[in-house]
C-alpha cells in the first residue's frame, strides 16, 4: 500500500490518545498489529460492507425523520418488533433509493454524452444554433433527472401519504 502499516498504526495511536482521549491504547494496538491487512480478510471485508450499507442509508433515515418532524407525522408502533421491522424496511428502501439515484445519474450523464455526440455529428460544430440547442438540451436533461429524484423522495421518503401528482409538482 502507499503509506504502510506502521504509519497507519502511528496515526491510529495518535488519534486515540490525542483526540479520543484513550490513555492505554496497547490492547487496541496489539489487536490491530495482529491483523494482516495485506491479505483478503473475510471478516473485515464483511464488516466493512455492513458498515458501508448502514452509513450510506443513514442520510435517508435522517431525512425521513426530518420530513416527518416538519409535517408533524408521528408513527405509533404496536410493539418493538414492528418498530424494528419498520426500521429495517426503511434501511432497505433507503439502499434502494441509493441504487435508483445512482442509476438515474449514470443514465443521465450517458444520455447527455450520446445526445451531445450525435448532435455535433448531425448539426455540425460551426452552427451557433446547434451549440445553444445542445447546451439547452443538456440542462433540460439535468433538470429532469433532478425532478425525477426529488419526486421519488417526496413520494416515498416520509411516513405520510402523497399522491403522484403532488410529488411531481413538488419535485419540479
Amino acid at each position: 500500500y502507499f503509506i504502510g502499516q506502521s504509519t497507519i498504526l502511528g496515526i491510529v495511536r495518535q488519534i486515540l490518545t490525542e483526540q479520543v482521549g484513550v490513555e492505554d491504547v496497547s490492547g487496541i494496538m496489539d489487536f490491530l498489529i495482529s491483523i494482516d491487512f495485506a491479505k483478503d480478510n473475510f471478516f473485515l471485508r464483511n464488516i466493512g460492507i455492513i458498515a458501508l450499507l448502514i452509513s450510506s442509508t443513514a442520510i435517508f433515515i435522517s431525512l425521513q425523520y426530518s420530513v416527518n418532524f416538519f409535517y408533524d407525522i408521528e408513527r405509533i408502533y404496536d410493539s418493538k418488533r414492528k418498530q424494528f421491522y419498520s426500521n429495517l424496511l426503511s434501511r432497505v428502501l433507503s439502499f434502494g433509493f441509493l441504487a435508483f439515484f445512482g442509476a438515474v445519474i449514470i443514465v443521465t450523464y450517458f444520455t447527455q454524452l450520446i445526445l451531445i455526440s450525435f448532435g455535433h455529428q448531425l448539426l455540425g460544430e460551426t452552427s451557433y444554433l446547434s451549440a445553444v440547442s445542445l447546451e439547452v438540451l443538456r440542462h433540460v436533461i439535468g433538470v429532469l433527472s433532478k425532478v425525477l429524484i426529488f419526486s421519488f423522495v417526496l413520494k416515498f421518503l416520509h411516513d405520510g401519504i402523497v399522491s403522484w401528482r403532488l410529488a411531481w409538482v413538488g419535485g419540479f
Side-chain angles (χ1 to χ4, degrees):
Y1 296 106
F2 298 114
I3 298 175
Q5 186 172 359
S6 61
T7 306
I8 295 297
L9 290 173
I11 293 170
V12 169
R13 179 184 301 275
Q14 181 181 4
I15 289 173
L16 287 174
T17 55
E18 294 177 8
Q19 295 179 0
V20 178
V22 178
E23 292 179 15
D24 184 21
V25 295
S26 61
I28 297 171
M29 297 309 294
D30 290 340
F31 173 72
L32 291 176
I33 290 170
S34 69
I35 297 174
D36 186 13
F37 291 104
K39 69 176 184 174
D40 188 26
N41 190 327
F42 177 76
F43 176 72
L44 288 179
R45 181 182 54 206
N46 288 335
I47 292 296
I49 290 171
I50 290 170
L52 178 66
L53 290 176
I54 290 172
S55 63
S56 64
T57 59
I59 188 168
F60 288 108
I61 298 298
S62 176
L63 187 59
Q64 180 184 20
Y65 288 140
S66 297
V67 170
N68 285 344
F69 179 76
F70 181 77
Y71 288 116
D72 200 24
I73 299 172
E74 183 178 345
R75 289 195 70 172
I76 300 172
Y77 300 100
D78 296 338
S79 65
K80 293 284 185 183
R81 186 178 191 198
K82 285 189 179 185
Q83 184 178 6
F84 172 76
Y85 285 132
S86 175
N87 190 13
L88 185 64
L89 180 64
S90 294
R91 292 281 180 174
V92 170
L93 287 175
S94 296
F95 185 72
F97 274 141
L98 284 174
F100 175 72
F101 295 161
V104 166
I105 290 169
I106 289 171
V107 166
T108 298
Y109 287 124
F110 277 118
T111 303
Q112 288 178 351
L113 177 70
I114 289 169
L115 288 176
I116 289 172
S117 297
F118 284 141
H120 284 301
Q121 289 178 357
L122 292 176
L123 300 175
E125 297 268 349
T126 59
S127 171
Y128 178 74
L129 179 62
S130 68
V132 170
S133 63
L134 288 176
E135 194 65 25
V136 167
L137 182 63
R138 187 174 68 84
H139 285 292
V140 166
I141 290 172
V143 167
L144 289 178
S145 69
K146 284 150 187 83
V147 165
L148 179 68
I149 288 172
F150 281 116
S151 297
F152 270 85
V153 165
L154 292 172
K155 174 69 177 166
F156 296 112
L157 191 62
H158 53 81
D159 292 325
I161 298 173
V162 174
S163 68
W164 271 110
R165 183 175 177 267
L166 287 175
W168 284 114
V169 169
F172 191 68

